[in-house]
Amino acid sequence: MAQVKLEHIRKSYDKTLIVKDLSLDIPHHEFLSLVGPSGCGKSTTLRMIAGLEEITEGKLYIGEKLVNNVPPKERNIAMVFQSYALFPHMNVAANIAFGLKIKKVPEEERKKKIEWALELMDLNGLGERMPKELSGGQRQRVAVGRALVLEPQVLLMDEPLSNLDAKLRLKMRTELKRIHKNLNATVIYVTHDQVEAMTLSDKIAIMNKGDLMQYGTPHEVYNRPANKFVAGFIGSSPMNFMKCTVKSEGEKFFIVTDSFSIPLPSDMADKIKNRFHDDEKLDFGIRPEDIYAKNYSQKAKIPAEIKGRIDVIEPLGSENLVTVMTEKNEFKVRLGTETDIKLDEIIELVFDVNKMHLFKIDTGEALF
Ligand code: ADP
């Protein structure tokens, strides 16, 4: 069993803190993605787990064992990099067997494992090929196969799909998910691509500037972002944000912006009581998929209506991403292609009030 535990891990180069107090408890067989903008400390974290980078402070456990001072080759891990780093002068089979040879695994067993990896990675019949005779996707599969034959307790991957074209990325994504299902290893996967992280992972750790912003399932981070950063980072079209205040009238609370005033459902109102002061500016957020057009949607029964003009229509095939201008604000809205909307048409937008978000401006913390 190879759970991986990071306890208050810090990493600094000279005096600059790159990873600040990171704690993660990753159970055996979990597929965890570390995701965040470029430079946030994802690769540094992965390299510390691999033993390629010294840990400045904190404790790292693989299984039950404290491994801070254990060299990489004794950690029972394997790593797949963005650059496949195959040996160009060795054929596919020799590339796959390389690590086994170093470990002095007998030839018979090596052969069996090569066959197993070729089969698993859908590379049957390609064992004799040289890397230059393979497509990018095939090369990446060899790199993954080479890691898997080592039967690592923990498989570490650093942006393994980013050199592939868009179509192949999608295919490899499905492949990786399938492979993980049949693998007795914990996977830690680094990507800057939130869609990749959402689709592949059991859990996602979202990082920003060396800080952990949220650690949760894809469902949790999408539906209940812990802060404004996560809300803006996760989701295919970014969340709409605008400034607001919350006004109370008797027992009722209203979200008030330049463009609208919406009553808060009582369960949401309960959650925010006493957590902000009167007239405090807050950030209001709602996802494009949680806004409907009144005349065009069955779901538009919720009494929060805003009038606006259609400014831009971006067809996405299965739906349209529509930019709607109100007097003071701009909203991105996802509308079905069956809607016969036209540029400059005035439409009424309806919010799903249960999907609204509120964030503190100073800390970014979500209020519900
Ligand atoms: P990410 O993988 O999220 O893109 P990295 O972990 O590679 O980010 O880098 C995080 C930060 O640490 C970056 O600002 C980078 O410049 C810095 N960094 C990485 N390696 C070194 C190093 N060896 N010396 C100094 N700074 C480094």
Side-chain angles (χ1 to χ4, degrees):
M1 298 292 269
Q3 66 272 29
V4 178
K5 196 168 181 183
L6 285 75
E7 267 183 20
H8 303 291
I9 296 276
R10 287 167 186 264
K11 174 71 188 175
S12 46
Y13 291 111
D14 300 323
K15 290 207 172 64
T16 317
L17 204 52
I18 301 294
V19 175
K20 310 169 187 168
D21 195 25
L22 180 62
S23 294
L24 293 171
D25 207 341
I26 311 159
H28 175 68
H29 198 253
E30 182 159 288
F31 195 123
L32 167 84
S33 288
L34 294 173
V35 68
S38 181
C40 71
K42 310 179 291 289
S43 294
T44 305
T45 303
L46 199 73
R47 291 170 60 80
M48 285 192 281
I49 298 170
L52 302 172
E53 219 46 88
E54 212 172 289
I55 295 169
T56 310
E57 230 178 274
K59 290 180 180 163
L60 172 69
Y61 295 88
I62 297 181
E64 300 296 319
K65 193 171 169 192
L66 180 69
V67 295
N68 285 47
N69 297 315
V70 174
K73 63 180 188 322
E74 289 168 30
R75 290 190 185 195
N76 205 353
I77 49 151
M79 193 151 170
V80 179
F81 297 93
Q82 176 179 351
S83 59
Y84 329 116
L86 299 182
F87 298 111
H89 58 287
M90 290 183 191
N91 68 20
V92 167
N95 263 289
I96 291 176
F98 184 78
L100 298 173
K101 223 169 166 178
I102 301 262
K103 281 174 105 184
K104 302 209 172 15
V105 172
E107 192 178 348
E108 265 315 293
E109 204 180 324
R110 282 203 314 259
K111 277 190 178 155
K112 272 193 205 148
K113 289 199 164 162
I114 294 169
E115 286 308 311
W116 171 80
L118 291 175
E119 171 86 37
L120 181 71
M121 301 311 296
D122 198 14
L123 292 165
N124 280 321
L126 300 181
E128 302 296 315
R129 290 253 187 111
M130 301 303 278
K132 68 173 186 312
E133 297 167 326
L134 301 176
S135 69
Q138 288 168 332
R139 276 181 228 170
Q140 190 54 289
R141 295 211 294 273
V142 176
V144 176
R146 182 176 59 178
L148 294 183
V149 289
L150 298 170
E151 292 178 43
Q153 291 186 70
V154 184
L155 179 63
L156 304 173
M157 301 200 193
D158 194 348
E159 303 259 6
L161 307 187
S162 49
N163 281 349
L164 307 179
D165 65 48
K167 206 166 160 195
L168 204 51
R169 279 178 84 124
L170 288 186
K171 185 161 180 274
M172 277 301 287
R173 212 167 72 186
T174 315
E175 290 296 320
L176 281 179
K177 209 155 177 169
R178 187 174 291 138
I179 292 164
H180 174 245
K181 208 170 57 178
N182 301 319
L183 203 66
N184 189 28
T186 306
V187 178
I188 306 179
Y189 187 97
V190 160
T191 177
H192 64 276
D193 180 341
Q194 59 89 22
V195 179
E196 214 167 273
M198 290 287 281
T199 48
L200 276 170
S201 320
D202 299 312
K203 287 262 193 79
I204 303 180
I206 298 145
M207 296 177 70
N208 185 32
K209 297 181 183 158
D211 280 315
L212 178 66
M213 305 307 286
Q214 191 168 1
Y215 176 40
T217 63
H219 184 79
E220 282 162 357
V221 299
Y222 177 83
N223 290 301
R224 287 278 153 260
N227 48 58
K228 190 182 172 196
F229 178 83
V230 173
F233 191 79
I234 299 289
S236 288
S237 340
M239 190 179 274
N240 295 292
F241 291 113
M242 63 207 62
K243 297 279 177 280
C244 73
T245 49
V246 176
K247 304 275 180 219
S248 58
E249 267 178 39
E251 285 294 291
K252 284 205 146 186
F253 283 95
F254 293 82
I255 294 180
V256 181
T257 73
D258 285 340
S259 306
F260 56 84
S261 169
I262 302 177
L264 266 184
S266 56
D267 57 328
M268 286 175 159
D270 286 346
K271 283 189 189 151
I272 65 169
K273 267 179 197 160
N274 306 323
R275 292 181 62 198
F276 60 96
H277 53 78
D278 283 351
D279 298 325
E280 179 176 341
K281 284 254 185 262
L282 299 166
D283 278 312
F284 167 83
I286 188 155
R287 294 194 187 280
E289 49 273 40
D290 297 327
I291 305 178
Y292 304 96
K294 190 176 180 193
N295 292 339
Y296 295 113
S297 170
Q298 295 289 322
K299 290 196 180 173
K301 289 179 187 147
I302 313 121
E305 294 170 17
I306 297 117
K307 271 204 177 111
R309 179 182 58 79
I310 294 184
D311 193 40
V312 180
I313 301 173
E314 296 169 64
L316 301 173
S318 59
E319 57 190 351
N320 292 317
L321 185 63
V322 180
T323 306
V324 178
M325 306 295 288
T326 62
E327 209 171 300
K328 296 260 177 63
N329 295 109
E330 175 184 317
F331 293 93
K332 296 272 191 216
V333 186
R334 280 175 182 264
L335 298 180
T337 45
E338 72 285 358
T339 53
D340 186 23
I341 47 170
K342 292 176 194 65
L343 279 180
D344 290 326
E345 181 182 341
I346 305 293
I347 60 170
E348 277 183 71
L349 298 177
V350 182
F351 292 177
D352 184 341
V353 288
N354 294 307
K355 303 275 179 69
M356 299 188 301
H357 301 266
L358 270 189
F359 306 95
K360 301 274 274 184
I361 287 186
D362 48 356
T363 59
E365 172 205 359
L367 289 177
F368 47 69

